[in-house]
Amino acid sequence: MSDSQSQLPLFQVLLKHAGLDASSFHVPGHKNGMIFSNEGYDVFKSILPYDLTEITGLDDLHHPESAIKEAQELTAQLYGVESTFFLVGGTTAGNLAMILSVCEPEDCIIVQRNCHKSIMNAIELAGAKPVFISPVYEEQTGRYSRINASTVYEALAAYPHAKALVLTYPDYFGHTYNIQPMIEAAHQYQLPVLVDEAHGAHFILGDPFPPSSVSLGADIVVHSAHKMLPAMTMSSFLHFQSALVSKDKIRHYLQMVQSSSPSYPLMASLDLARHFLAHIDEAQIKQMIAHAHQIRSMLDESPLWDVVPVYNQVDDPLKITLQIHPDLEAQKVLHTFEQHMVYPELATTSQLLLISGLGMNERDLQRIPHVVNNFDHQLKRVKGHGKIEVTAVQPPEISEFPYSLRNLQEMDNMWVAWEHAIGKPAGEMIIPYPPGIPLLIKGERIERWHKEVIMPRLKAGQHIQSESNDLQKGLRTFVE
């Protein structure tokens, strides 16, 4: 580790300014915490003196010259990339900027089908025309987890005029695939590779974690630092290392999609998260892996689920997935965990995801056995009327949109019943959240398999974002 990684340039300038006890004749309106609601003051008072703005000495995210510039350079040094940009609008802001920087209206872009909704929003804003490459269903994970390299090669050969290849790595559950040959193949076509690596900001720690796409040659990689690193929510990194994408365009679009008044606490938390990551040693890695393994072992004592195995450098060992047994509903299992003050990340129709962290928490180790031991007493409340099965339907490996997303903005849409929707272009996105991966994408032709994967999730009570008030009966479609 470089000695420079011990520095905290942005955090230190905030500390220094807060210590001045200066009078605020600038925004924000709480005036360093002097003006605030009595109801919340005791909670917020410790952070308010650091919630500052672009005054002298504190630099400017959109034109960094001192502390922010130094903090970003230290992060780029740690990740081994040309440049790193701090994001205060989450990975969403990074996904928007990287796609807008490579696409113009009507441009073709090759996109992994199970991408985050922000990728699709970016393509819509760009007015581009996506070509989808679909992941395949894996019995090992019980999910659509892996992209076949052959599918990527076929798409690149069929659409050599595409502007970029957009991949999601790892999936929400920390599962990866062999991404390096895909990156190398795209580069043979002079296509940049843009990677939403939201859940992999810690992969640079090395074995037993999967390799990071930043080390495998991806052109732009976006990390949600707040997901696995100890950064505040909405804090992310965009890493740049490309001769195929304009860095000036990245800067331009980041200014457009992010606030002109970025949060200094969020940016300082990125400085601190980078510092934390840089100082994790081999002993700490072994300790956190052992902690996650201990939690897995405790959960494995229950007959109500199977703990999905993790494979070295393929799966994130800090992600713990439970495959719920067929006579139980995952949502009810989730609620039972929550009743014992253990809050998992999410439940699908058949799986529960728990995320361990880059450290240890003894309270967690005490609570997990309590949950497991008390489940038998609550089994009658947890059991459903038979598990709701979700059919594993394989979408086409490569599919082209019938329209550009810009064309869709000019089309009328209307609500129709499901029986009349098949074959029509969808007028809305259908998104289980979390994880935020669309089951149906706006403009995509509605097939019977869409209904087959959406309906069971609705019946299971999974939270789904849509524009329709009664998605079980119908949805919005475009009028052709």
Side-chain angles (χ1 to χ4, degrees), residues 459-478:
K459 291 177 182 177
Q462 188 172 3
H463 177 65
I464 294 183
Q465 297 176 346
S466 73
E467 297 175 20
S468 299
N469 293 327
D470 193 349
L471 191 57
Q472 291 199 15
K473 293 182 178 179
L475 73 167
R476 304 200 71 79
T477 66
F478 285 107

Side-chain angles (χ1 to χ4, degrees), residues 103-111 123 127-131 400-405 407:
C103 281
E104 294 182 0
E106 305 303 322
D107 279 345
C108 170
I109 186 167
I110 302 171
V111 184
I123 294 172
K129 192 172 184 179
V131 170
E400 185 174 353
F401 246 42
Y403 303 98
S404 74
L405 292 181
N407 293 148

Side-chain angles (χ1 to χ4, degrees), residues 142-275:
R143 299 186 306 276
Y144 295 88
S145 301
R146 176 173 52 82
I147 288 285
N148 281 333
S150 59
T151 304
V152 174
Y153 303 156
E154 184 180 345
L156 291 169
Y159 300 93
H161 57 288
K163 296 299 181 179
L165 171 64
V166 185
L167 299 174
T168 302
Y169 170 102
D171 70 5
Y172 207 100
F173 293 77
H175 187 68
T176 67
Y177 51 86
N178 188 8
I179 194 174
Q180 187 168 17
M182 304 176 193
I183 295 172
E184 293 172 351
H187 285 167
Q188 289 177 1
Y189 286 87
Q190 293 298 297
L191 263 65
V193 180
L194 317 180
V195 182
D196 178 352
E197 196 173 296
H199 290 261
H202 57 306
F203 284 179
I204 61 166
L205 291 172
D207 188 37
F209 297 100
S212 173
S213 60
V214 297
S215 63
L216 300 177
D219 294 79
I220 300 177
V221 178
V222 187
H223 282 145
S224 290
H226 64 94
K227 282 186 165 61
M228 296 304 294
L229 303 187
M232 293 175 68
T233 298
M234 293 178 66
S235 305
S236 294
F237 300 130
L238 183 149
H239 306 292
F240 178 94
Q241 50 180 9
S242 181
L244 299 173
V245 183
S246 165
K247 194 193 306 187
D248 288 339
K249 282 189 175 181
I250 290 290
R251 290 194 187 97
H252 171 71
Y253 285 111
L254 283 176
Q255 290 185 51
M256 289 182 68
V257 302
Q258 297 202 98
S259 171
S260 59
S261 300
S263 165
Y264 275 82
L266 295 189
M267 291 187 287
S269 80
L270 286 171
D271 197 17
L272 288 161
R274 180 270 315 160
H275 181 273

Side-chain angles (χ1 to χ4, degrees), residues 122-424:
I123 294 172
E124 182 174 352
L125 287 172
K129 192 172 184 179
V131 170
F132 289 123
I133 49 175
S134 294
V136 296
Y137 184 81
E138 282 188 308
E139 293 291 341
Q140 167 196 333
T141 63
R143 299 186 306 276
Y144 295 88
S145 301
R146 176 173 52 82
I147 288 285
N148 281 333
S150 59
T151 304
V152 174
Y153 303 156
E154 184 180 345
L156 291 169
Y159 300 93
H161 57 288
K163 296 299 181 179
L165 171 64
V166 185
L167 299 174
T168 302
Y169 170 102
D171 70 5
Y172 207 100
F173 293 77
H175 187 68
T176 67
Y177 51 86
N178 188 8
I179 194 174
Q180 187 168 17
M182 304 176 193
I183 295 172
E184 293 172 351
H187 285 167
Q188 289 177 1
Y189 286 87
Q190 293 298 297
L191 263 65
V193 180
L194 317 180
V195 182
D196 178 352
E197 196 173 296
H199 290 261
H202 57 306
F203 284 179
I204 61 166
L205 291 172
D207 188 37
F209 297 100
S212 173
S213 60
V214 297
S215 63
L216 300 177
D219 294 79
I220 300 177
V221 178
V222 187
H223 282 145
S224 290
H226 64 94
K227 282 186 165 61
M228 296 304 294
L229 303 187
M232 293 175 68
T233 298
M234 293 178 66
S235 305
S236 294
F237 300 130
L238 183 149
H239 306 292
F240 178 94
Q241 50 180 9
S242 181
L244 299 173
V245 183
S246 165
K247 194 193 306 187
D248 288 339
K249 282 189 175 181
I250 290 290
R251 290 194 187 97
H252 171 71
Y253 285 111
L254 283 176
Q255 290 185 51
M256 289 182 68
V257 302
Q258 297 202 98
S259 171
S260 59
S261 300
S263 165
Y264 275 82
L266 295 189
M267 291 187 287
S269 80
L270 286 171
D271 197 17
L272 288 161
R274 180 270 315 160
H275 181 273
F276 179 89
L277 184 64
H279 287 81
I280 293 177
D281 59 27
E282 189 173 337
Q284 289 172 304
I285 293 174
K286 289 180 179 179
Q287 189 179 53
M288 69 180 73
I289 299 301
H291 178 70
H293 178 73
Q294 192 172 358
I295 294 173
R296 270 194 185 82
S297 298
M298 292 174 176
L299 290 167
D300 208 25
E301 295 295 317
S302 174
L304 305 180
W305 51 70
D306 294 316
V307 179
V308 176
V310 295
Y311 295 91
N312 194 63
Q313 293 193 302
V314 173
D315 297 292
D316 184 348
L318 303 182
K319 300 286 183 75
I320 304 166
T321 303
L322 306 183
Q323 181 68 46
I324 308 301
H325 284 191
D327 60 342
L328 297 176
E329 294 180 19
Q331 289 291 330
K332 291 185 178 180
V333 174
L334 169 70
H335 296 327
T336 304
F337 267 84
E338 292 172 346
Q339 289 168 10
H340 291 284
M341 294 297 107
V342 174
Y343 280 75
E345 172 69 10
L346 65 86
T348 66
T349 54
S350 61
Q351 294 186 333
L352 198 71
L353 173 64
L354 299 92
I355 302 178
S356 188
L358 299 175
M360 296 182 62
N361 188 325
E362 290 299 327
R363 185 178 61 178
D364 294 348
L365 297 180
Q366 296 166 5
R367 282 182 168 170
I368 293 295
H370 181 70
V371 176
V372 172
N373 293 335
N374 281 276
F375 246 102
D376 284 343
H377 302 299
Q378 299 178 342
L379 192 55
K380 289 183 179 179
R381 290 199 297 134
V382 174
K383 278 192 175 182
H385 300 292
K387 179 176 163 56
I388 297 171
E389 292 292 341
V390 177
T391 306
V393 182
Q394 181 59 51
E397 288 191 357
I398 301 174
S399 55
E400 185 174 353
F401 246 42
Y403 303 98
S404 74
L405 292 181
R406 171 158 290 194
N407 293 148
L408 295 179
Q409 296 171 7
E410 301 170 358
M411 296 171 63
D412 294 329
N413 67 66
M414 60 182 293
W415 186 93
V416 299
W418 273 103
E419 58 265 29
H420 302 302
I422 306 302
K424 292 183 169 61

